[in-house]
Amino acid sequence: MSDLAWFLVGALVKSIIAIVALLTAFAYMTLIERRVIARFQRRVGPNRAGPFGVFQPVADALKMAFKEEILPTRASRLVFLIAPAISVVVALTAFAVVPLGGPTAWGNSSIARAWAPYVADLNVGVLYIFAIASLAVYGIVLAGWSSGNHYSLLGALRSAAQMVSYEVSITLAIAGVLMFAGTLNMVGIVQAQAHQGIWFILAQPLGFLLYGIAAVAEVNRAPFDLPEAEQELVAGYLTEFSGLRWSLFQMAEYINMITASSVVVTLFFGGWTLGSLDGVFGLPFIWYFIKVAVFLFIFIWLRATLPRIRYDQLMRFGWQVLLPLSVLNALVTAAVVAYGLPWWVSGAIGLAILLIVAGAFYATARRSQPKAKRGAGQVMAAPTSVRLVADAPLPRSVDESQTTSVSASAGVK
Amino acid sequence: MLFSQIAFYVLAVIAVASALGVVLNRNAVYSMLSLILNLLSLALFFLLLGGLFIATIQVLIYAGAVMVLFLFVVTMLTPGGQAPQGDDPLRWQWGAGIGMGAILVGALVWAGFTGAISSDAKAAGVSSLTSAIAAFGGNTEAFGMALFHGYSFPFEITGLLLVVAALGAVTLGRRPTHADE
């Protein structure tokens, strides 16, 4: 067979493996997320189907498959049917350039290189991911519009506004990494980190944080899950979807989460590289998967910890905080790279900016808090309604009026 | 060569069909979707010509950003997917459009058959692209060298123009505040 034919066969087989792996990862991410969130909330979580609930995804899939698929009368039929597919296809396509290992992961022969653990090694890798990810908004907007339901439409439009706003910051936030790496190629960025002997988070702490926040907003996860805010919009663009079509949207969300985590690991945490242990068979993969798993856990952790923010807060934060900081970070990095300064200069400046901004946030949050509630020795206690049974009983000094005022002050912005 | 020829003809059919879809659909959202398909097939044409960077940018900017804003407005104006009913109020546009389309096709055919677009020029374009990519080590690098070493002044002027346009839009769209009154 010719080289081209081998290349096509390789790309096809690797794509199928990637798709199957991503779908399996999605199924188990739903289980892990439910179990982890249950732990956060002092519950047990799904543990009935098989040991530790490992067959729960199978049960869920069967349930979804046998649910009735409802097509609303006012729906725009064709678009309603293809919108979930657009979401999933886009999510899967973006993963194609994510490198799970180096070009010589299986050895140095030409056949081993043809089967390197990524589907494609594009010169414009990072741009490709952002180009494909920017299409993800179509799945959501078309789903909302074609449902013929005002709540769906509002959720979809929110999502469109949110994703377009945060896309600007996300691209500027990684500009610093691209300047240090000098390439857009995903494999090249990892190799640049190995070559310079650092993980780019050390040179780009601010860029990492900005990318992290914007990425959570991009994949519409809590605390940025405004498109499906149930107290305002029922379930947003998902309202009219049921059964398998609904789970396709869930699938897209989790796959986007996995892609975002992989991009963080590749851009800021050195990808699969292990230094002198690179040659050990299989070890770089495990190292890479551990790093991705940590970020997936952080996604779940954020969802369990943070309340959803308001829509105007979301927009103001995106345009007035995130975007100026991304521009500042890009400018500082450009100066450091242009004048040939060592990497720790941009790292130190980034940390300083981070401290100043965090200080400013802390100061405003403190100022807006009522003065009397800041006294030393104040007993903070949750109101009876949210106290857990397992908690220690309330201290005697706290009377009812104090508890209510404490809970009220938490709601003051 | 065969692969790229088959890909070209498939893409050509998709591009023309989606372009027709833009003008023939009565529902604005379906027109938009056709336009997105058309822009994506244009990106694949760039890819066929070896312009990986331009193809990605085409998707990122046009399909991913500009059309999202279009969709944003159009979905708000036509909720529920109902196409407008009744007669077309702008019938004369059909004649004008067909006439101008005929002129465009005629000019392209004339140029193609009389040699105004010679195959030598096309070959020179392809070879200069290939050599530039080889010289600078990649598609992105070649594009960057051309943009910042050959055309950096026009590039900066364009940037300024876009900033002015954005500022103008912000000024026009701003609601009067109490301080203005």
Side-chain angles (χ1 to χ4, degrees), chain A residues 165-177 179 204-215 317-334 353-354 357:
Chain A
S165 307
Y166 280 75
E167 229 161 58
V168 185
S169 310
I170 217 170
T171 12
L172 275 168
I174 58 145
V177 169
M179 287 178 213
Q204 290 288 315
L206 185 58
F208 163 68
L209 200 71
L210 296 172
Y211 175 83
I213 295 172
F317 183 73
W319 288 107
Q320 298 184 358
V321 180
L322 223 51
L323 184 60
L325 283 179
S326 318
V327 174
L328 194 63
N329 183 51
L331 281 178
V332 168
T333 316
I353 297 172
L354 212 55
V357 174

Short mmCIF file of all heavy atoms in Angstrom, two decimals, chain A residues 165-177 179 204-215 317-334 353-354 357:
data_model
loop_
_atom_site.label_atom_id
_atom_site.label_comp_id
_atom_site.label_asym_id
_atom_site.label_seq_id
_atom_site.Cartn_x
_atom_site.Cartn_y
_atom_site.Cartn_z
N SER A 165 -18.54 36.04 24.03
CA SER A 165 -17.80 36.94 24.91
C SER A 165 -16.55 36.28 25.46
O SER A 165 -15.48 36.88 25.51
CB SER A 165 -18.66 37.38 26.08
OG SER A 165 -19.87 37.89 25.62
N TYR A 166 -16.68 35.03 25.92
CA TYR A 166 -15.54 34.39 26.56
C TYR A 166 -14.53 33.83 25.56
O TYR A 166 -13.40 33.60 25.92
CB TYR A 166 -16.03 33.30 27.52
CG TYR A 166 -16.49 33.90 28.83
CD1 TYR A 166 -17.70 34.57 28.91
CD2 TYR A 166 -15.70 33.87 29.95
CE1 TYR A 166 -18.12 35.15 30.08
CE2 TYR A 166 -16.11 34.44 31.14
CZ TYR A 166 -17.32 35.08 31.19
OH TYR A 166 -17.72 35.67 32.35
N GLU A 167 -14.98 33.64 24.30
CA GLU A 167 -14.05 33.18 23.28
C GLU A 167 -12.92 34.18 23.08
O GLU A 167 -11.77 33.81 22.86
CB GLU A 167 -14.81 33.02 21.96
CG GLU A 167 -14.58 31.72 21.27
CD GLU A 167 -15.69 31.48 20.28
OE1 GLU A 167 -15.85 32.33 19.39
OE2 GLU A 167 -16.40 30.48 20.41
N VAL A 168 -13.26 35.48 23.15
CA VAL A 168 -12.25 36.51 22.94
C VAL A 168 -11.17 36.38 24.01
O VAL A 168 -9.97 36.36 23.70
CB VAL A 168 -12.91 37.90 23.01
CG1 VAL A 168 -11.91 38.97 22.69
CG2 VAL A 168 -14.08 37.97 22.06
N SER A 169 -11.60 36.25 25.28
CA SER A 169 -10.62 36.15 26.36
C SER A 169 -9.82 34.87 26.26
O SER A 169 -8.62 34.86 26.54
CB SER A 169 -11.33 36.17 27.71
OG SER A 169 -12.21 37.24 27.78
N ILE A 170 -10.48 33.79 25.85
CA ILE A 170 -9.80 32.49 25.84
C ILE A 170 -8.65 32.52 24.85
O ILE A 170 -7.55 32.05 25.14
CB ILE A 170 -10.82 31.37 25.54
CG1 ILE A 170 -10.50 30.14 26.34
CG2 ILE A 170 -10.88 31.01 24.11
CD1 ILE A 170 -11.58 29.10 26.27
N THR A 171 -8.87 33.12 23.68
CA THR A 171 -7.79 33.15 22.68
C THR A 171 -6.66 34.06 23.13
O THR A 171 -5.49 33.74 22.94
CB THR A 171 -8.31 33.60 21.31
OG1 THR A 171 -9.61 34.13 21.49
CG2 THR A 171 -8.37 32.50 20.34
N LEU A 172 -7.02 35.21 23.76
CA LEU A 172 -5.97 36.11 24.20
C LEU A 172 -5.20 35.50 25.38
O LEU A 172 -4.00 35.74 25.53
CB LEU A 172 -6.57 37.45 24.62
CG LEU A 172 -6.78 38.42 23.46
CD1 LEU A 172 -7.64 39.59 23.92
CD2 LEU A 172 -5.45 38.92 22.95
N ALA A 173 -5.89 34.70 26.22
CA ALA A 173 -5.24 34.15 27.40
C ALA A 173 -4.16 33.16 27.01
O ALA A 173 -3.14 33.06 27.69
CB ALA A 173 -6.27 33.48 28.31
N ILE A 174 -4.37 32.41 25.90
CA ILE A 174 -3.34 31.44 25.53
C ILE A 174 -2.28 32.05 24.62
O ILE A 174 -1.30 31.40 24.30
CB ILE A 174 -3.94 30.20 24.86
CG1 ILE A 174 -4.71 30.62 23.62
CG2 ILE A 174 -4.79 29.42 25.80
CD1 ILE A 174 -4.58 29.61 22.54
N ALA A 175 -2.49 33.33 24.21
CA ALA A 175 -1.50 33.97 23.33
C ALA A 175 -0.12 33.94 23.98
O ALA A 175 0.89 33.73 23.30
CB ALA A 175 -1.93 35.40 23.01
N GLY A 176 -0.07 34.13 25.32
CA GLY A 176 1.21 34.12 26.02
C GLY A 176 1.94 32.79 25.84
O GLY A 176 3.14 32.76 25.55
N VAL A 177 1.21 31.69 26.00
CA VAL A 177 1.81 30.37 25.83
C VAL A 177 2.36 30.21 24.42
O VAL A 177 3.47 29.72 24.21
CB VAL A 177 0.77 29.27 26.11
CG1 VAL A 177 1.28 27.92 25.69
CG2 VAL A 177 0.42 29.26 27.57
N MET A 179 3.39 32.51 22.44
CA MET A 179 4.61 33.30 22.26
C MET A 179 5.81 32.57 22.84
O MET A 179 6.89 32.56 22.25
CB MET A 179 4.46 34.65 22.95
CG MET A 179 3.53 35.59 22.24
SD MET A 179 3.42 37.11 23.20
CE MET A 179 1.75 37.58 22.87
N GLN A 204 3.35 31.51 32.94
CA GLN A 204 2.04 32.09 32.60
C GLN A 204 1.00 31.82 33.68
O GLN A 204 -0.09 31.32 33.37
CB GLN A 204 1.54 31.50 31.28
CG GLN A 204 2.31 31.93 30.07
CD GLN A 204 2.01 33.36 29.74
OE1 GLN A 204 0.86 33.77 29.76
NE2 GLN A 204 3.02 34.14 29.47
N PRO A 205 1.25 32.15 34.94
CA PRO A 205 0.23 31.85 35.96
C PRO A 205 -1.07 32.58 35.71
O PRO A 205 -2.16 32.03 35.85
CB PRO A 205 0.89 32.31 37.27
CG PRO A 205 1.96 33.23 36.87
CD PRO A 205 2.42 32.81 35.53
N LEU A 206 -0.95 33.86 35.28
CA LEU A 206 -2.16 34.64 35.00
C LEU A 206 -2.90 34.07 33.79
O LEU A 206 -4.12 33.89 33.83
CB LEU A 206 -1.76 36.10 34.75
CG LEU A 206 -2.88 37.09 34.54
CD1 LEU A 206 -3.80 37.11 35.73
CD2 LEU A 206 -2.31 38.48 34.29
N GLY A 207 -2.13 33.74 32.74
CA GLY A 207 -2.74 33.17 31.54
C GLY A 207 -3.48 31.89 31.86
O GLY A 207 -4.58 31.65 31.35
N PHE A 208 -2.89 31.06 32.73
CA PHE A 208 -3.54 29.80 33.10
C PHE A 208 -4.87 30.05 33.80
O PHE A 208 -5.89 29.44 33.46
CB PHE A 208 -2.61 28.99 34.01
CG PHE A 208 -3.32 27.90 34.76
CD1 PHE A 208 -3.82 26.81 34.08
CD2 PHE A 208 -3.51 27.99 36.12
CE1 PHE A 208 -4.49 25.82 34.76
CE2 PHE A 208 -4.18 27.00 36.80
CZ PHE A 208 -4.67 25.90 36.12
N LEU A 209 -4.87 30.98 34.74
CA LEU A 209 -6.11 31.23 35.50
C LEU A 209 -7.19 31.79 34.57
O LEU A 209 -8.36 31.38 34.63
CB LEU A 209 -5.82 32.20 36.64
CG LEU A 209 -6.87 32.13 37.73
CD1 LEU A 209 -6.74 30.84 38.49
CD2 LEU A 209 -6.76 33.31 38.66
N LEU A 210 -6.78 32.72 33.68
CA LEU A 210 -7.76 33.32 32.76
C LEU A 210 -8.32 32.25 31.83
O LEU A 210 -9.52 32.17 31.60
CB LEU A 210 -7.10 34.43 31.94
CG LEU A 210 -6.62 35.63 32.73
CD1 LEU A 210 -5.82 36.56 31.84
CD2 LEU A 210 -7.80 36.37 33.32
N TYR A 211 -7.41 31.39 31.33
CA TYR A 211 -7.87 30.33 30.43
C TYR A 211 -8.82 29.40 31.18
O TYR A 211 -9.87 29.01 30.65
CB TYR A 211 -6.70 29.53 29.87
CG TYR A 211 -7.18 28.37 29.04
CD1 TYR A 211 -7.54 28.56 27.72
CD2 TYR A 211 -7.35 27.10 29.59
CE1 TYR A 211 -8.03 27.52 26.97
CE2 TYR A 211 -7.85 26.06 28.86
CZ TYR A 211 -8.19 26.27 27.55
OH TYR A 211 -8.70 25.25 26.81
N GLY A 212 -8.45 29.07 32.42
CA GLY A 212 -9.28 28.15 33.19
C GLY A 212 -10.69 28.69 33.37
O GLY A 212 -11.67 27.99 33.13
N ILE A 213 -10.79 29.96 33.78
CA ILE A 213 -12.12 30.55 34.00
C ILE A 213 -12.91 30.58 32.70
O ILE A 213 -14.07 30.17 32.64
CB ILE A 213 -11.97 31.97 34.59
CG1 ILE A 213 -11.32 31.90 35.96
CG2 ILE A 213 -13.32 32.66 34.67
CD1 ILE A 213 -10.97 33.25 36.53
N ALA A 214 -12.24 31.07 31.63
CA ALA A 214 -12.94 31.18 30.35
C ALA A 214 -13.34 29.82 29.82
O ALA A 214 -14.40 29.67 29.20
CB ALA A 214 -12.07 31.93 29.35
N ALA A 215 -12.51 28.79 30.09
CA ALA A 215 -12.84 27.45 29.59
C ALA A 215 -14.09 26.92 30.28
O ALA A 215 -14.94 26.28 29.64
CB ALA A 215 -11.66 26.51 29.80
N PHE A 317 -18.16 40.49 34.18
CA PHE A 317 -16.90 39.83 34.50
C PHE A 317 -16.12 39.52 33.23
O PHE A 317 -14.92 39.75 33.14
CB PHE A 317 -17.18 38.56 35.29
CG PHE A 317 -15.93 37.85 35.73
CD1 PHE A 317 -15.16 38.37 36.74
CD2 PHE A 317 -15.54 36.68 35.11
CE1 PHE A 317 -14.01 37.74 37.14
CE2 PHE A 317 -14.38 36.04 35.51
CZ PHE A 317 -13.62 36.57 36.52
N GLY A 318 -16.82 39.00 32.22
CA GLY A 318 -16.15 38.63 30.98
C GLY A 318 -15.51 39.81 30.28
O GLY A 318 -14.35 39.75 29.87
N TRP A 319 -16.26 40.89 30.14
CA TRP A 319 -15.76 42.02 29.34
C TRP A 319 -14.91 42.98 30.14
O TRP A 319 -14.00 43.60 29.62
CB TRP A 319 -16.92 42.78 28.70
CG TRP A 319 -17.57 42.02 27.59
CD1 TRP A 319 -18.78 41.41 27.63
CD2 TRP A 319 -17.05 41.78 26.27
NE1 TRP A 319 -19.05 40.80 26.43
CE2 TRP A 319 -18.01 41.02 25.60
CE3 TRP A 319 -15.87 42.13 25.62
CZ2 TRP A 319 -17.82 40.61 24.28
CZ3 TRP A 319 -15.70 41.72 24.32
CH2 TRP A 319 -16.66 40.96 23.67
N GLN A 320 -15.22 43.16 31.44
CA GLN A 320 -14.51 44.20 32.20
C GLN A 320 -13.38 43.67 33.06
O GLN A 320 -12.54 44.44 33.50
CB GLN A 320 -15.50 44.98 33.06
CG GLN A 320 -16.53 45.67 32.21
CD GLN A 320 -17.48 46.52 33.02
OE1 GLN A 320 -17.40 46.57 34.24
NE2 GLN A 320 -18.39 47.20 32.35
N VAL A 321 -13.34 42.38 33.33
CA VAL A 321 -12.24 41.83 34.12
C VAL A 321 -11.37 40.90 33.27
O VAL A 321 -10.17 41.11 33.11
CB VAL A 321 -12.77 41.08 35.37
CG1 VAL A 321 -11.62 40.52 36.17
CG2 VAL A 321 -13.61 42.00 36.22
N LEU A 322 -12.02 39.88 32.72
CA LEU A 322 -11.26 38.85 32.02
C LEU A 322 -10.54 39.39 30.78
O LEU A 322 -9.35 39.14 30.59
CB LEU A 322 -12.23 37.73 31.62
CG LEU A 322 -11.76 36.31 31.82
CD1 LEU A 322 -11.25 36.11 33.22
CD2 LEU A 322 -12.90 35.35 31.55
N LEU A 323 -11.27 40.17 29.96
CA LEU A 323 -10.68 40.63 28.71
C LEU A 323 -9.51 41.58 28.94
O LEU A 323 -8.43 41.37 28.37
CB LEU A 323 -11.76 41.26 27.82
CG LEU A 323 -11.29 41.69 26.45
CD1 LEU A 323 -10.76 40.50 25.67
CD2 LEU A 323 -12.41 42.33 25.67
N PRO A 324 -9.64 42.64 29.79
CA PRO A 324 -8.48 43.52 30.03
C PRO A 324 -7.29 42.76 30.59
O PRO A 324 -6.15 43.01 30.18
CB PRO A 324 -9.01 44.54 31.04
CG PRO A 324 -10.46 44.53 30.89
CD PRO A 324 -10.83 43.15 30.48
N LEU A 325 -7.56 41.82 31.50
CA LEU A 325 -6.43 41.06 32.07
C LEU A 325 -5.75 40.21 31.01
O LEU A 325 -4.53 40.07 31.01
CB LEU A 325 -6.92 40.19 33.22
CG LEU A 325 -7.18 40.92 34.54
CD1 LEU A 325 -7.68 39.95 35.58
CD2 LEU A 325 -5.92 41.60 35.03
N SER A 326 -6.54 39.62 30.10
CA SER A 326 -5.93 38.81 29.03
C SER A 326 -5.05 39.68 28.15
O SER A 326 -3.95 39.28 27.77
CB SER A 326 -6.99 38.14 28.17
OG SER A 326 -8.01 37.63 28.93
N VAL A 327 -5.54 40.89 27.82
CA VAL A 327 -4.75 41.79 26.98
C VAL A 327 -3.46 42.16 27.72
O VAL A 327 -2.36 42.12 27.15
CB VAL A 327 -5.56 43.05 26.63
CG1 VAL A 327 -4.69 44.04 25.89
CG2 VAL A 327 -6.76 42.68 25.79
N LEU A 328 -3.57 42.46 29.02
CA LEU A 328 -2.41 42.82 29.82
C LEU A 328 -1.41 41.67 29.82
O LEU A 328 -0.20 41.88 29.62
CB LEU A 328 -2.87 43.13 31.24
CG LEU A 328 -1.87 43.83 32.14
CD1 LEU A 328 -1.53 45.19 31.57
CD2 LEU A 328 -2.44 43.99 33.53
N ASN A 329 -1.90 40.46 30.03
CA ASN A 329 -1.03 39.29 30.06
C ASN A 329 -0.32 39.12 28.73
O ASN A 329 0.89 38.86 28.70
CB ASN A 329 -1.86 38.05 30.40
CG ASN A 329 -1.01 36.82 30.53
OD1 ASN A 329 -0.03 36.83 31.23
ND2 ASN A 329 -1.38 35.77 29.82
N ALA A 330 -1.07 39.30 27.62
CA ALA A 330 -0.45 39.15 26.30
C ALA A 330 0.62 40.21 26.11
O ALA A 330 1.71 39.93 25.59
CB ALA A 330 -1.52 39.24 25.22
N LEU A 331 0.36 41.46 26.54
CA LEU A 331 1.34 42.54 26.38
C LEU A 331 2.61 42.25 27.17
O LEU A 331 3.73 42.38 26.65
CB LEU A 331 0.74 43.87 26.85
CG LEU A 331 -0.21 44.55 25.87
CD1 LEU A 331 -0.76 45.82 26.49
CD2 LEU A 331 0.51 44.87 24.58
N VAL A 332 2.45 41.85 28.45
CA VAL A 332 3.61 41.57 29.31
C VAL A 332 4.44 40.46 28.69
O VAL A 332 5.67 40.56 28.57
CB VAL A 332 3.14 41.19 30.73
CG1 VAL A 332 4.28 40.61 31.53
CG2 VAL A 332 2.56 42.39 31.43
N THR A 333 3.75 39.37 28.27
CA THR A 333 4.48 38.24 27.69
C THR A 333 5.19 38.65 26.41
O THR A 333 6.34 38.26 26.19
CB THR A 333 3.51 37.09 27.40
OG1 THR A 333 2.64 36.95 28.51
CG2 THR A 333 4.26 35.82 27.17
N ALA A 334 4.52 39.47 25.58
CA ALA A 334 5.15 39.90 24.34
C ALA A 334 6.43 40.67 24.65
O ALA A 334 7.47 40.46 24.01
CB ALA A 334 4.18 40.78 23.53
N ILE A 353 0.25 40.73 39.22
CA ILE A 353 -1.05 41.21 38.74
C ILE A 353 -2.17 40.42 39.41
O ILE A 353 -3.18 40.98 39.86
CB ILE A 353 -1.14 41.07 37.20
CG1 ILE A 353 -0.10 41.95 36.53
CG2 ILE A 353 -2.53 41.44 36.71
CD1 ILE A 353 0.01 41.74 35.05
N LEU A 354 -1.94 39.11 39.52
CA LEU A 354 -2.94 38.25 40.13
C LEU A 354 -3.22 38.66 41.57
O LEU A 354 -4.37 38.76 42.00
CB LEU A 354 -2.41 36.82 40.09
CG LEU A 354 -3.41 35.70 39.94
CD1 LEU A 354 -4.24 35.93 38.71
CD2 LEU A 354 -2.66 34.38 39.83
N VAL A 357 -5.18 41.97 41.67
CA VAL A 357 -6.59 41.80 41.33
C VAL A 357 -7.33 41.07 42.45
O VAL A 357 -8.44 41.47 42.86
CB VAL A 357 -6.73 41.03 40.01
CG1 VAL A 357 -8.17 40.72 39.71
CG2 VAL A 357 -6.12 41.83 38.87
#
